[in-house]
Amino acid sequence: MKVSVLGSGGWGTALAMLANDCSAETVLWGKFEDEIAFINQTRTTPLLKEVKIPNEILATTDKSQIKGSDIIIIATPSFAVEENAKMLRDEDLADGAVIVSVAKGFEKTTLRRFSQVIAEALPNNKIVVLSGPSHAEEVARKMTTCVVVASDDESAALTVQNALMNENFRIYTNLDVIGVETGAALKNVIAMAAGICDGLGLGDNSIAALITRGISEIGSLGVKMGANVKTFAGLSGLGDLIVTCTSRHSRNRRFGQLLGTGLSVDEALKKVGMTVESYYATESAKKLADKYGVEMPIVNECYNIIYNNGDINDAPVRLMSRSGRNE
Ligand SMILES: NC(=O)c1ccc[n+]([C@@H]2O[C@H](COP(=O)([O-])OP(=O)(O)OC[C@H]3O[C@@H](n4cnc5c(N)ncnc54)[C@H](O)[C@@H]3O)[C@@H](O)[C@H]2O)c1
């Protein structure tokens, strides 16, 4: 089994280490010479502190090394997924490979899910989405993790399950690609809101309320988009939402926390210093809520803070003074 990972950031590197642990011949392809040179010189990455990258993993910028892979994981930030899927097609590198998408978000201008973006670039390949509560920092340290792989094609999901599951990393299969992807994309917005509550000092009750009302919002939109409501109670829905809203590893939560303590959007993005998918996902979520006519009060408040320079202190007040509802 040969597995190639595109994107040498935290998640790409952790997934390459998992593939290597599962005895696959593993290629970690990165676009940037300096990043790959650093990995090769030190067998570490600043994105995964105190983690040693095994020598068996081939870290390279040479695209030709990807050829012949059984599985290709696209683990770049969401803005670079289309570019990299097209690179695989244009360089004729993906022949017969199952393509795994791990980006969490929607394509910014067209609001497509990333499995759709990849399928359009690579129409002859089977596409699988991998998602769930899986911080790279913990997966790289072989800490207990459960995720889901979703595909319209069950055999493709089983291929990934068989290739990447081990005693530390348990994989469930699911046929609801829309549900898995919408849960993954939207949870980052709620996590940012949880960070804001934390930054404002609103307490644990507010975080629990955000998680549960957040999954309700996510589910309402997801079902309108064609998802199965049950998926939102699973690993890629509630599971990922809980970890992102509560974990110190979550950069989306951290982004919100920094906003809550008074930093501007630009200052908070700069301070986090890594990909903050919630920044993009908030705009997409707002557009999708409008498009499908779904009421998403938490998303609306996040959008107002990030894109309309809204006063952060007004958001919880507005959410709490909405008219009474049934749960
Ligand atoms: N970090 C996690 O725990 C985690 C877990 C699940 C999913 N994800 C998803 O994985 C994706 C990558 O996240 P990450 O945490 O590895 O990000 P990161 O910020 O750690 O790394 C981003 C990396 O992407 C690469 N990159 C940037 N532009 C590129 C381009 N144009 N082409 C190729 N590579 C490019 C660079 O090598 C950079 O190091 C995101 O969509 C994220 O939502 C991350």
Side-chain angles (χ1 to χ4, degrees):
M1 172 70 61
K2 177 172 174 180
V3 176
S4 289
V5 182
L6 273 55
S8 48
W11 193 216
T13 305
L15 287 168
M17 290 172 68
L18 172 71
N20 178 64
D21 277 347
C22 292
S23 307
E25 176 191 347
T26 307
V27 176
L28 176 60
W29 177 86
K31 179 171 174 157
F32 305 107
E33 294 283 352
D34 52 346
E35 220 171 71
I36 292 297
F38 185 89
I39 290 176
N40 281 324
Q41 278 154 23
T42 64
R43 300 314 286 185
T44 66
T45 164
L47 298 162
L48 297 172
K49 301 240 159 37
E50 291 159 33
V51 164
K52 202 82 192 148
I53 302 169
N55 289 331
E56 294 81 16
I57 296 173
L58 176 67
T60 181
T61 55
D62 176 3
K63 296 171 196 167
S64 71
Q65 297 288 348
I66 299 165
K67 210 167 172 58
S69 300
D70 302 288
I71 293 175
I72 301 176
I73 303 172
I74 302 183
T76 66
S78 58
F79 63 77
V81 169
E82 185 161 31
E83 166 198 332
N84 282 281
K86 286 182 174 164
M87 181 267 285
L88 290 174
R89 179 195 62 201
D90 296 344
E91 307 263 343
D92 198 18
L93 297 171
D95 189 25
V98 172
I99 311 294
V100 181
S101 172
V102 301
K104 295 180 177 176
F106 297 101
E107 202 278 325
K108 209 170 164 313
T109 44
T110 60
L111 301 178
R112 284 170 299 166
R113 290 173 286 106
F114 283 108
S115 67
Q116 295 176 302
V117 171
I118 295 171
E120 279 168 36
L122 295 163
N124 299 323
N125 291 80
K126 294 175 178 174
I127 318 288
V128 172
V129 173
L130 184 152
S131 190
S134 51
H135 284 309
E137 294 83 349
E138 295 191 2
V139 172
R141 290 183 173 78
K142 306 183 199 238
M143 293 170 75
T144 302
T145 301
C146 292
V147 299
V148 59
V149 286
S151 180
D152 302 331
D153 184 316
E154 196 173 13
S155 70
L158 288 168
T159 298
V160 177
Q161 184 185 48
N162 289 330
L164 296 180
M165 188 155 98
N166 66 19
E167 66 279 18
N168 309 312
F169 196 83
R170 183 168 173 74
I171 303 180
Y172 293 80
T173 59
N174 191 323
L175 294 173
D176 182 14
V177 179
I178 300 178
V180 167
E181 278 186 305
T182 49
L186 296 167
K187 58 103 197 186
N188 282 332
V189 183
I190 308 298
M192 181 185 77
I196 291 174
C197 286
D198 200 38
L200 291 173
L202 295 185
D204 295 346
N205 292 350
S206 72
I207 311 285
L210 265 180
I211 291 173
T212 42
R213 293 313 306 159
I215 200 71
S216 168
E217 265 184 42
I218 291 172
S220 301
L221 177 61
V223 167
K224 278 268 171 102
M225 291 172 73
N228 178 346
V229 72
K230 262 182 72 181
T231 304
F232 298 103
L235 288 163
S236 60
L238 194 54
D240 208 359
L241 186 60
I242 291 171
V243 82
T244 323
C245 285
T246 58
S247 169
R248 68 200 150 89
H249 294 306
S250 168
R251 58 190 81 162
N252 294 291
R253 181 180 190 279
R254 170 122 181 85
F255 173 55
Q257 212 174 21
L258 292 167
L259 295 175
T261 52
L263 266 63
S264 71
V265 172
D266 286 345
E267 286 167 342
L269 285 173
K270 209 164 156 203
K271 191 143 190 181
V272 176
M274 297 181 278
T275 312
V276 179
E277 296 286 14
S278 56
Y279 175 75
Y280 309 102
T282 300
E283 187 178 21
S284 307
K286 169 86 173 94
K287 285 185 182 162
L288 285 167
D290 293 346
K291 178 177 168 187
Y292 286 94
V294 178
E295 197 181 5
M296 298 188 82
I298 303 170
V299 165
N300 279 341
E301 292 302 336
C302 290
Y303 182 84
N304 195 35
I305 291 167
I306 295 194
Y307 292 100
N308 290 337
N309 204 19
D311 186 335
I312 207 157
N313 292 292
D314 291 345
V317 177
R318 253 196 306 268
L319 285 171
M320 292 301 285
S321 31
R322 295 168 70 235
S323 62
R325 305 283 159 100
N326 253 328
E327 188 174 35

